[in-house]
């Protein structure tokens, strides 16, 4: 990930508790963007890019899993419990991203930064069989976001930029080895503020 991408700016802004020094612009054409602008996933750089409305429209009809830039959808779907323990991931705050090549990665926060795992393909197929909405996730741009820490039971299909916002909250609030007293309440607030969107 390069330091000039939208994700890097989002994490720096959240970590610093300061608004961005300059107004955000489209990463494709440099036009100013509104606060609720769209995002594109850059498959070549594996990062999120800001997009103005005209540029985002260019990628709205790109077939799923194709193209260098993919428009990140905005839908959020609350799911019933998904058995993520069977996916071999040893943490309760994690997101799973199906990739265009058929693989699935899992990412979660740690004291050393984000950690990434490769999910066993057969285990993922069993999870999809138990929760059919997972089969409709758009590769690279939607994720299964899970929080089962402290007895919570949050399971969502979200756009990947929501996952990066969650990582930014963790990075901003993390203290010590376990996260400290501020991080987990901030994560709980993040999940409480998620709302379903078509």
């Amino acid at each position: 990930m390069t330091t000039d991408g939208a994700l890097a700016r989002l994490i720096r802004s959240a970590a610093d508790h300061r608004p961005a020094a300059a107004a955000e612009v489209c990463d494709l054409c440099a036009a100013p963007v509104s606060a609720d602008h769209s995002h594109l996933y850059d498959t070549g750089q594996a990062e999120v890019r800001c997009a103005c409305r005209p540029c985002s429209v260019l990628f709205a009809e790109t077939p799923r899993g194709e193209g260098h830039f993919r428009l990140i959808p905005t839908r959020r779907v609350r799911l019933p419990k998904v058995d993520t323990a069977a996916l071999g991931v040893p943490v309760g705050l994690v997101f799973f991203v199906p990739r265009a090549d058929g693989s699935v990665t899992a990412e979660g926060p740690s004291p050393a930064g984000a950690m990434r795992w490769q999910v066993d393909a057969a285990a993922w197929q069993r999870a999809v069989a138990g929760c059919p909405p997972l089969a409709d996730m758009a590769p690279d741009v939607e994720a299964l976001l899970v929080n089962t820490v402290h007895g919570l039971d949050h399971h969502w299909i979200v756009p990947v930029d929501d996952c990066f916002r969650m990582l930014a909250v963790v990075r901003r609030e993390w203290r010590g080895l376990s996260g400290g007293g501020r991080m987990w309440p901030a994560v709980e607030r993040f999940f409480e503020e998620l709302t379903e969107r078509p």
Side-chain angles (χ1 to χ4, degrees), residues 51-176:
C52 65
R53 175 141 180 78
C55 286
S56 67
V57 168
L58 293 173
F59 300 96
E61 298 303 320
T62 302
R64 287 169 46 132
E66 293 184 15
H68 182 75
F69 291 107
R70 297 191 194 140
L71 182 64
I72 297 175
T74 59
R75 79 172 178 139
R76 290 189 192 124
V77 180
R78 188 178 194 98
L79 299 172
K81 182 174 181 174
V82 178
D83 183 11
T84 54
L87 297 175
V89 176
V91 295
L93 181 60
V94 63
F95 59 94
F96 300 86
V97 182
R99 303 294 176 182
D101 65 4
S103 65
V104 177
T105 58
E107 293 186 49
S110 78
M115 296 181 6
R116 178 180 277 197
W117 302 267
Q118 196 71 25
V119 176
D120 177 71
W124 179 254
Q125 289 308 315
R126 286 191 295 274
V128 170
C131 184
L134 297 178
D136 294 330
M137 290 170 53
D140 296 316
V141 293
E142 288 188 310
L144 166 62
L145 177 60
V146 175
N147 183 9
T148 58
V149 177
H150 301 144
L152 296 176
D153 190 21
H154 293 285
H155 299 81
W156 290 83
I157 293 175
V158 297
V160 291
D161 47 0
D162 276 351
C163 300
F164 299 138
R165 284 191 315 107
M166 181 272 295
L167 287 177
V169 168
V170 169
R171 180 174 172 175
R172 181 185 69 219
E173 303 295 347
W174 193 293
R175 301 292 182 275

Side-chain angles (χ1 to χ4, degrees), residues 179-192:
R182 291 178 13 183
M183 198 241 338
W184 293 113
V187 168
E188 288 181 28
R189 280 192 304 276
F190 172 86
F191 277 89
E192 287 166 4

